[in-house]
Amino acid sequence: MSNKSVATGGRQASALGEEIVGRINRLAAISETPDNLTRIFLTVEHRAAADLIMAWMVEAGMSAHLDAIGNVCGRYEGERPGLPCLMLGSHYDTVRDAGRWDGPLGLITAISCVADLHKRGRRFPFAIEVTGFADEEGVRFASTLLGSRAVAGTFNERVLASRDGAGVSMREALVQFGLDPDHIGAAARVRSELLAYIELHIEQGPVLEAKGLPVGVVSAIAGATRLAARVTGMAGHAGTVPMELRRDALTGAAEMIAKIEELCLTDGRGLVGTVGYIHATPGATNVIPGETHFTIDLRAPTDVHRNRALSDIVRQIEAIAKRRKLELRLDVTHENRTVPCALWLKTQIAEAVAAEGYPVFELASGAGHDGMAMVDIADVAMVFVRCRGGISHHPDEHVEVTDADAGARVLLRLIENFRPQKAADS
Ligand SMILES: [Zn+2]
């Protein structure tokens, strides 16, 4: 399959993949540091990347502008001006020391598809818009989905007061960038302007690779619940307190963590739980830990599933605390709902995947995406593209050119056959 090249629209299709990879590499050169890719919201690199992306949009036959939060917005008119649009897109900010594909692949693929349609003079009974979201990762201000929330009209003005590591507020950073913090509302779109939002993205996990598939249809963007746990026992002398009299907050936490893993392992239906942080005090070799803090990150393909798993976990770790005479406090620090991909869109993606000669395979997204915000104004769906080893948020993130090409051909076919939702489809 690696040398497969299928004629689409009268030219060798691998050209699309090569153009996309070339642009991915050009965009990756725009970085805070030359050796590690870092491109953060409202920086000079953000500006340079936006300029380059807008130039590609114009070359592809689109009008292009920067909106009130710094998203790049391209529009390819339909058979007549002003028609509602099929919106495609992804983000172009990165984490620190990032890979080059997370975000830009979906954005650049969408632009390349429009360029191909433009070259062939194709127009549709709908417009196509391509949006590059300015901040999805939330690195600078510890708040995610800023770009897509502005577009969805759900941007929370309170985050304007949050400050980055250097003490600069988001309000100040917007002004320095040349944007008006009091007019972010101007970036908002309304439901009647959008027929759907479809995002192509690297999988960021190992499932497609294990299945030997270049592309997959996303079933849902998994919701997540995060908790902070505090376990309180009794600190004491490591030499004088007998084992059976101890109330060790760290061994108690260890048993709880192992129980969380066991519950997720035996679920078998896509539940994933992670304890990514633990801290014990007083933290000395010869002192029994008196207090331990740890975090829990829990995700599942549906909200019902996640909530049921959460109450299971809470019940079981409370029992551990009780048996060990420890005090357990749990606080929910973050919660977001599962966003199911719309059935009528998944159907059309599946048709495009099958028409390109690939088996149709559905998988849930464990990672968050801009669709989580866009669902407030449009039905959403996603196409996943295989990435090497499932590695993401890491410089080793990699997509083969043939897979970039497969993703582009699926997206192109999807656009060319796109049928806006009729009442009967819902
Ligand atoms: Zn991403």
Side-chain angles (χ1 to χ4, degrees):
M1 196 184 297
S2 64
N3 288 318
K4 187 176 176 182
S5 72
V6 176
T8 302
R11 46 110 192 83
Q12 284 303 97
S14 61
L16 265 179
E18 269 150 31
E19 176 179 80
I20 290 162
V21 172
R23 286 180 169 182
I24 286 280
N25 292 335
R26 276 184 69 191
L27 194 61
I30 303 175
S31 170
E32 197 176 287
T33 46
D35 299 328
N36 320 80
L37 172 56
T38 301
R39 199 166 49 243
I40 307 294
F41 186 42
L42 303 175
T43 58
V44 289
E45 294 79 33
H46 174 181
R47 167 72 66 184
D51 287 344
L52 181 59
I53 294 162
M54 286 193 291
W56 289 333
M57 286 174 163
V58 170
E59 204 185 303
M62 287 184 265
S63 61
H65 72 277
L66 205 64
D67 76 4
I69 190 83
N71 298 323
V72 287
C73 308
R75 184 175 164 94
Y76 183 72
E77 293 291 352
E79 284 159 357
R80 56 178 199 278
L83 289 167
C85 73
L86 166 62
M87 188 180 279
L88 310 170
S90 196
H91 60 99
Y92 66 104
D93 66 319
T94 71
V95 294
R96 292 198 177 277
D97 200 9
R100 53 189 59 189
W101 307 85
D102 171 8
L105 180 65
L107 177 56
I108 288 170
T109 299
I111 296 170
S112 288
C113 287
V114 174
D116 186 81
L117 296 166
H118 177 59
K119 233 179 287 168
R120 290 186 280 131
R122 295 293 311 271
R123 295 280 168 181
F124 302 95
F126 52 88
I128 303 166
E129 292 197 16
V130 180
T131 307
F133 296 108
D135 182 286
E136 188 266 358
E137 304 284 5
V139 170
R140 184 164 181 185
F141 295 104
S143 183
T144 60
L145 306 176
L146 294 171
S148 45
R149 284 201 177 117
V151 172
T154 56
F155 183 87
N156 185 344
E157 304 264 323
R158 272 181 307 180
V159 303
L160 288 171
S162 56
R163 293 183 182 275
D164 67 9
V168 179
S169 74
M170 192 188 303
R171 176 174 286 279
E172 290 158 358
L174 282 160
V175 171
Q176 281 164 19
F177 194 81
L179 296 169
D180 181 350
D182 294 320
H183 284 88
I184 287 173
R189 306 294 297 272
V190 294
R191 186 170 281 274
S192 60
E193 295 176 306
L194 272 74
L195 299 169
Y197 172 73
I198 298 179
E199 176 164 349
L200 178 144
H201 200 284
I202 61 165
E203 182 202 337
Q204 302 180 279
V207 177
L208 290 174
E209 191 175 69
K211 293 270 173 194
L213 297 173
V215 289
V217 184
V218 177
S219 55
I221 305 170
T225 303
R226 291 184 193 149
L227 300 110
R230 189 187 69 193
V231 182
T232 312
M234 177 65 84
H237 195 291
T240 62
V241 185
M243 294 308 287
E244 64 277 13
L245 295 181
R246 293 183 181 198
R247 292 167 57 218
D248 185 326
L250 183 53
T251 51
E255 191 182 341
M256 293 173 197
I257 293 164
K259 177 57 75 178
I260 293 166
E261 185 189 45
E262 181 197 315
L263 289 170
C264 294
L265 264 172
T266 52
D267 171 80
R269 292 181 302 128
L271 177 72
V272 287
T274 305
V275 173
Y277 170 89
I278 183 163
H279 181 73
T281 51
T285 313
N286 58 352
V287 183
I288 300 162
E291 188 166 290
T292 302
H293 294 252
F294 66 94
T295 58
I296 306 168
D297 178 307
L298 196 66
R299 307 181 195 213
T302 70
D303 289 335
V304 173
H305 186 177
R306 189 180 78 255
N307 289 332
R308 196 178 297 147
L310 179 62
S311 35
D312 239 26
I313 284 173
V314 169
R315 205 179 47 247
Q316 301 245 20
I317 67 176
E318 274 175 353
I320 293 168
K322 197 168 168 219
R323 177 165 46 76
R324 288 174 166 267
K325 298 185 174 60
L326 300 167
E327 194 189 299
L328 173 66
R329 188 194 154 112
L330 289 168
D331 288 302
V332 174
T333 52
H334 166 96
E335 181 144 45
N336 61 262
R337 70 207 150 145
T338 293
V339 173
C341 294
L343 179 62
W344 69 279
L345 293 171
K346 282 194 302 183
T347 304
Q348 294 191 30
I349 293 172
E351 284 168 8
V353 169
E356 286 298 332
Y358 302 114
V360 174
F361 176 72
E362 267 200 29
L363 70 170
S365 172
H369 294 289
D370 287 301
M372 290 160 65
M374 293 303 291
V375 74
D376 286 329
I377 53 163
D379 282 349
V380 304
M382 293 188 75
V383 180
F384 269 173
V385 175
R386 166 169 60 190
C387 60
R388 188 177 61 197
I391 296 166
S392 184
H393 284 189
H394 189 279
D396 289 345
E397 194 178 84
H398 182 73
V399 174
E400 294 297 332
V401 63
T402 45
D403 289 353
D405 195 70
R409 282 186 283 113
V410 166
L411 193 65
L412 189 56
R413 198 178 277 271
L414 177 69
I415 300 168
E416 291 191 88
N417 295 306
F418 181 68
R419 302 175 304 281
Q421 187 187 30
K422 294 184 208 79
D425 292 338
S426 60

